[in-house]
Amino acid sequence: MSDLNAAMAETAQKIEQFLEQFLTAQQLSAPLPAPERLVEAIRHGALNGGKRLRPVLVHFTANLFEHPQGDLIQAGAAIECVHCYSLVHDDLPDMDNDDLRRGKPTVHKAFDPATAILAGDALLTHAFALLADENCHPDPTLRNQLVIELVYGAGVGGMAGGQMRDIEGERKGYDPETISLIHAMKTGALIRASVRIGALMGGANPSELTNLTSFGEAAGRIYQLADDILDATQSSEQLGKTAGKDEAQGKSTLIASHGLDHANAVMRKELQSALSLLDAFGERATPLAQLVTHFAERKN
Amino acid sequence: MSDLNAAMAETAQKIEQFLEQFLTAQQLSAPLPAPERLVEAIRHGALNGGKRLRPVLVHFTANLFEHPQGDLIQAGAAIECVHCYSLVHDDLPDMDNDDLRRGKPTVHKAFDPATAILAGDALLTHAFALLADENCHPDPTLRNQLVIELVYGAGVGGMAGGQMRDIEGERKGYDPETISLIHAMKTGALIRASVRIGALMGGANPSELTNLTSFGEAAGRIYQLADDILDATQSSEQLGKTAGKDEAQGKSTLIASHGLDHANAVMRKELQSALSLLDAFGERATPLAQLVTHFAERKN
């Protein structure tokens, strides 16, 4: 897996560099001068050394194809801005009220809730300019499609809707179908969008796009199932975040309803079907196959 | 002015109809089913019978040109979604903490703050799909420009940055230059973007776009100067909102520093220069000239 780790680290580093240069007062001062405090809050929320899994998915998916076009890093950075916005808003006192994120104070702790709301809003807003920008891809129609894909990933039928369903679940309780839907929307939709954006930049034909969409949906489920299994089996120290949260919150995950062995079996089956969707791409699919296998086997 | 009122009411009604149909579970359920509560909160925040001034600006500006292309209502609706998102977030307890908006409970009062944050996020997100959508304009490159214009209007160098500066001003105090900058960012940037989007859809050439950008900036200043004058001279009953807010908040507006007569004189001068920017468009400019005159002369 050291090839995988190196390739992931390389993309993560390029994303970090891109965001480091893009999320500056200089880049964000149009039409009028960016307020320093907002730029700092945005940087606090986005330049945090994350794994940048969604840009890695864009990159590996586009590289299934021989001649991907456009700037995969710029497109990945747009998705990462949306991912970071969602973390900043989800952490707010009115939402999950988290004080720490990756061992650092959350944006509303380091600044204040109003600044965190605006920093999230701004990350979401500017993500779309990255995709609409001509450096992102030479075909303007395709750039329009990328914008729409990101809207679907982030919007009411995706991430924002998933967070809404999760908040409602906290009040009304969670049944297994609701949990699957929450996962598919909250985590799955942006993973799906990342794969589709990569596929579109690779030049996928309609049937390839359909297959890769299924792959992206499966990758999201695998990522989430592994999360549930880790939550149930690892200590907080091993995870670097609070373990046992699902049980504490009364979430009837697959593990709660059918046990750990069953959850592991479901995940292995999902992994097999995800891998089989990549068969048609031959050797070019190795990084993506390794990545989704890593999703299933990761330890934190 | 009855022609103006009729034309404004017609656009406002078309925007209301467009949003009525667009902001539904059916339209927003992709890739996965929209949660009802989020759709309701979005509709509460956006279907409120506002004057829809920004879509009116798009419409009147595009009609300076003989053959505007695309769906001006769809583009106007996108800007209106962004305007409504900004009201929903600005009203939040962590921001301006307002309970009422146009006589109705604000979204966080009618629902709760978490739902209001998500409703604002969702309105912002879906606005970009309206502009990237092929029904908005036949030219895909132009659609990308529209997306980028809206990002500039809403982003760090525009509305979100203006709200940040306003929050900082509440803590640090406001000097006249800061107040002008806050106005230009908070109110002006989206008005400017509306005019530019209208101009682009009208097919403005570069020098026309430059002039209309100046017009849009002047229109924003006129709108805001009138607001300041109304705040200082009208009763809360006449305004339908709290009067005398600027003085109470210690904002050193032009009125506080130079008096009402001076502010009125500045506004008249801005109006003359805005109107002169429309001269080249002849009779086609009548609605836009009437609109910016209305900005200056409005009583609430």
Side-chain angles (χ1 to χ4, degrees), chain A residues 28-35 37-39 42 85 89 92-95 112-115 117-118 121-122 124-126 128-129 131-133 140-141 143-144 147-148 150-158 160-161 163-165 167-168 171 181 184-185 189 192, chain B residues 28-35 37-39 42 85 89 92-95 112-115 117-118 121-122 124-126 128-129 132-133 140-141 143-144 147-148 150-158 160-165 167-168 171 181 184-185 189 192:
Chain A
L28 299 174
S29 288
L32 289 159
R37 181 179 175 83
L38 184 54
V39 176
I42 288 169
Y85 126 74
H89 278 193
L92 283 167
D94 284 329
M95 303 276 255
D112 57 73
T115 304
I117 292 169
L118 290 170
D121 291 346
L124 174 61
T125 302
H126 286 273
F128 293 104
L131 295 181
D133 173 62
T141 303
R143 298 202 295 275
N144 296 154
V147 167
I148 290 169
L150 190 57
V151 169
Y152 285 159
V156 178
Q163 178 69 1
M164 181 81 260
R165 287 189 189 282
I167 291 169
E168 286 192 286
R171 291 170 198 161
L181 185 57
M185 295 178 83
R192 176 185 185 274
Chain B
L28 300 173
S29 288
L32 289 159
R37 182 179 174 84
L38 185 53
V39 176
I42 288 169
Y85 126 74
H89 278 193
L92 283 168
D94 285 329
M95 303 276 255
D112 56 74
T115 303
I117 293 168
L118 290 170
D121 292 346
L124 174 61
T125 302
H126 286 273
F128 293 104
D133 174 60
T141 302
R143 296 201 295 274
N144 286 309
V147 167
I148 291 169
L150 190 58
V151 168
Y152 285 158
V156 178
Q163 177 70 359
M164 180 82 261
R165 286 189 190 280
I167 291 168
E168 286 192 288
R171 291 170 199 163
L181 186 56
M185 296 178 83
R192 177 186 185 273

Side-chain angles (χ1 to χ4, degrees), chain A residues 217-295:
Chain A
E217 290 168 357
R221 287 191 297 269
I222 291 162
Y223 189 85
Q224 190 63 56
L225 274 165
D227 226 45
D228 295 350
I229 292 167
L230 289 170
D231 179 79
T233 57
Q234 302 284 92
S235 69
S236 297
E237 290 74 42
Q238 286 168 308
L239 287 183
K241 63 180 181 183
T242 315
K245 259 183 146 178
D246 291 340
E247 203 183 333
Q249 292 178 8
K251 287 196 185 178
S252 36
T253 63
L254 203 62
I255 300 169
S257 58
H258 290 76
L260 196 57
D261 285 350
H262 179 76
N264 266 307
V266 169
M267 187 170 68
R268 280 195 302 275
K269 211 175 146 189
E270 286 276 13
L271 180 59
Q272 284 318 311
S273 92
L275 292 172
S276 72
L277 286 162
L278 299 178
D279 282 347
F281 296 96
E283 282 212 353
R284 302 196 74 87
T286 303
L288 200 52
Q290 287 181 338
L291 181 65
V292 69
T293 306
H294 164 75
F295 280 5

Side-chain angles (χ1 to χ4, degrees), chain A residues 51-66:
Chain A
K51 282 170 285 183
R52 315 298 188 187
L53 286 179
R54 290 154 197 80
V56 172
L57 275 169
V58 172
H59 194 242
F60 287 3
T61 306
N63 280 302
L64 293 172
F65 301 88
E66 216 166 334

Side-chain angles (χ1 to χ4, degrees), chain A residues 162-234:
Chain A
Q163 178 69 1
M164 181 81 260
R165 287 189 189 282
D166 202 3
I167 291 169
E168 286 192 286
E170 278 171 32
R171 291 170 198 161
K172 297 184 191 169
Y174 299 92
D175 58 58
E177 289 74 32
T178 306
I179 289 182
S180 299
L181 185 57
I182 290 170
H183 287 166
M185 295 178 83
K186 237 184 117 161
T187 323
L190 202 58
I191 289 178
R192 176 185 185 274
S194 304
V195 170
R196 282 176 62 90
I197 285 173
L200 289 166
M201 294 179 82
N205 65 35
S207 98
E208 288 166 336
L209 185 59
T210 302
N211 280 339
L212 287 171
T213 302
S214 299
F215 171 82
E217 290 168 357
R221 287 191 297 269
I222 291 162
Y223 189 85
Q224 190 63 56
L225 274 165
D227 226 45
D228 295 350
I229 292 167
L230 289 170
D231 179 79
T233 57
Q234 302 284 92

Side-chain angles (χ1 to χ4, degrees), chain B residues 55-119:
Chain B
V56 172
L57 277 168
V58 172
H59 193 242
F60 287 3
T61 307
N63 280 301
L64 292 173
F65 301 88
E66 216 167 335
H67 301 294
Q69 283 196 289
D71 185 337
L72 301 173
I73 294 301
Q74 180 159 331
I79 300 171
E80 195 63 19
C81 284
V82 169
H83 175 58
C84 292
Y85 126 74
S86 77
L87 301 180
V88 173
H89 278 193
D90 285 0
D91 287 339
L92 283 168
D94 285 329
M95 303 276 255
D96 301 342
N97 196 20
D98 278 317
D99 292 353
L100 287 173
R101 164 84 49 197
R102 292 208 192 88
K104 278 200 320 181
T106 46
V107 178
H108 65 90
K109 286 305 245 183
F111 296 82
D112 56 74
T115 303
I117 293 168
L118 290 170

